[in-house]
Amino acid sequence: MPLPPEGLDPAPTSASPASLPIALGDGTWRTDPLRLAVAAYLARYRGETRRHAESDLRAYLTWCQLRQLNPLQARRPHLELYIRWMQETQRFAASTVSRRMSVVAGFYRTCVIDEVLEHSPADYVRRPNVPPESPTLGLSHLQLEALLATSRDSPNRCDFAMVCLLGLLGLRIFEACALDIADLGEEHGHRVLRVVGKGHKIVLVPLAPAVGRAVDRAIGDRAPDHDRAHVRGLSSHGAVPLLLNTRGGRLDRHSATRRLRHLAADARIRLPRMHPHMLRHTYVTTMLDAGVDLRDVQIAARHADPRTTMRYDRARTTLDRHPNYILAAYMASGT
């Protein structure tokens, strides 16, 4: 199939994501090779990981459809143009381009395993270099204290619990939003929280007393009583959400982002764009500042790869540990 002119500007705009072959609910994946390939790839994941993989793959399939390109007939130059389009037209960060290409490469690798394709067109595609430092901005110790104080004084009792769960327990935003009151428990004398993390992995996170008090305050008089359908915040499947939005329903990541920006503004925290992951970033860097061993921080943050934790450490200490300070101190007598 010929390459589109310049490979950058979308061709027909009549196509919509709803018409993409990623929609699998109608059962046509059983006979359509592309739908079957998509179903085979996504079947490897579940939960939030599957949702994110589907989103990134959908973006690539949309790009192909707008250029009338069959993804199963794509070649390496097409993928190079896709990367160039993301970089030059969409202005995506290197980490975003690399992540999306990882999903595309995984999709084609599955196609090769299932003998849909002989070779993967993504094998020799060059991906952008991702900086070793985390690009996410974190809060300073004083900024985190200000945010905690502001959320504690908020009339919305869930605000303080949300900030504590994200900033003092390091939960990911989808983990915090998915929590139910029934996920609270005890283990070996410790009060713990049952958290469903990436890959649907279940971990028990211990609650520090201050976090426990914030959670209890958010729960108030609500209880996970399945026989009381009138309980405020009761979901359709009978679970009582731990965090509620302003309307009394389960908090989602969009509502949480809006609440955090509102709280940050009230706390007079000057940041370009406040979002929930900043608090997880702050959780890691604050523990490192407190002298916690890097390996222990990795375990607490549930990073599968220690290099992920080291990215936060580099971002925190790139200037603090610069050799210029050591040299200046060494030569202090002569200067």
Side-chain angles (χ1 to χ4, degrees):
M1 181 171 292
L3 295 175
E6 297 301 320
L8 296 177
D9 297 323
T13 57
S14 58
S16 64
S19 64
L20 289 176
I22 203 171
L24 307 173
D26 55 4
T28 53
W29 58 270
R30 295 182 177 87
T31 56
D32 185 277
L34 179 57
R35 294 182 185 229
L36 180 60
V38 170
Y41 172 69
L42 294 178
R44 305 172 62 187
Y45 305 104
R46 58 180 176 174
E48 286 294 307
T49 304
R50 176 190 170 97
R51 187 176 68 82
H52 291 146
E54 180 177 351
S55 175
D56 287 340
L57 184 56
R58 182 187 296 274
Y60 172 64
L61 296 179
T62 302
W63 183 87
C64 289
Q65 188 179 59
L66 293 176
R67 287 153 183 81
Q68 300 179 349
L69 170 66
N70 183 345
L72 297 182
Q73 296 177 358
R75 297 293 180 262
R76 186 193 62 80
H78 295 115
L79 298 187
E80 296 283 6
L81 288 171
Y82 177 54
I83 291 178
R84 184 175 151 201
W85 174 78
M86 287 192 288
Q87 291 175 320
E88 299 181 5
T89 302
Q90 300 300 102
R91 304 289 183 182
F92 289 151
S95 57
T96 302
V97 176
S98 181
R99 187 198 71 233
R100 289 195 171 188
M101 277 308 302
S102 294
V103 170
V104 173
F107 166 69
Y108 282 121
R109 187 163 51 248
T110 303
C111 289
V112 173
I113 293 172
D114 295 338
E115 299 182 348
V116 177
L117 297 174
E118 291 186 8
H119 306 286
S120 169
D123 278 348
Y124 300 101
V125 173
R126 295 185 62 181
R127 303 182 197 177
N129 292 325
V130 179
E133 295 84 10
S134 172
T136 302
L137 293 174
L139 277 63
S140 68
H141 180 75
L142 293 178
Q143 286 175 327
L144 178 58
E145 284 190 348
L147 188 64
L148 286 167
T150 301
S151 61
R152 187 187 299 113
D153 296 336
S154 171
N156 185 341
R157 294 182 300 181
C158 289
D159 283 347
F160 186 41
M162 175 185 65
V163 173
C164 287
L165 292 173
L166 299 178
L168 299 182
L169 294 190
L171 299 191
R172 300 175 177 92
I173 185 59
F174 78 86
E175 296 169 342
C177 292
L179 289 174
D180 295 324
I181 296 178
D183 291 324
L184 288 166
E186 289 190 7
E187 189 75 18
H188 302 297
H190 295 271
R191 196 176 185 196
V192 296
L193 198 58
R194 177 183 176 274
V195 177
V196 181
K198 280 187 174 181
H200 216 70
K201 295 178 182 177
I202 298 176
V203 294
L204 296 179
V205 179
L207 290 179
V211 180
R213 289 192 295 270
V215 168
D216 290 338
R217 180 186 175 196
I219 293 173
D221 57 357
R222 295 181 295 131
D225 185 352
H226 293 187
D227 296 327
R228 293 169 56 197
H230 65 278
V231 174
R232 183 171 179 262
L234 190 66
S235 64
S236 58
H237 60 280
V240 183
L242 197 154
L243 297 178
L244 301 178
N245 58 29
T246 54
R247 297 181 179 179
R250 182 183 294 275
L251 185 75
D252 60 26
R253 59 190 181 93
H254 302 292
S255 298
T257 301
R258 289 192 294 269
R259 292 301 307 157
L260 278 176
R261 289 176 181 169
H262 178 74
L263 291 170
D266 288 347
R268 301 186 184 279
I269 297 175
R270 302 287 185 252
L271 287 174
R273 191 173 181 84
M274 186 72 181
H275 58 83
H277 190 68
M278 285 182 175
L279 289 181
R280 179 169 167 81
H281 186 285
T282 305
Y283 168 77
V284 173
T285 55
T286 303
M287 279 198 296
L288 292 170
D289 287 338
V292 180
D293 183 76
L294 186 65
R295 173 61 178 168
D296 292 334
V297 176
Q298 177 197 342
I299 294 172
R302 292 170 284 127
H303 287 153
D305 192 328
R307 290 174 295 184
T308 304
T309 313
M310 290 174 64
R311 291 186 70 206
Y312 292 90
D313 190 33
R314 289 194 190 99
R316 177 183 67 100
T317 60
T318 298
L319 296 178
D320 293 346
R321 297 181 185 173
H322 199 281
N324 286 355
Y325 292 116
I326 301 174
L327 177 61
Y330 181 76
M331 298 299 297
S333 60
T335 57

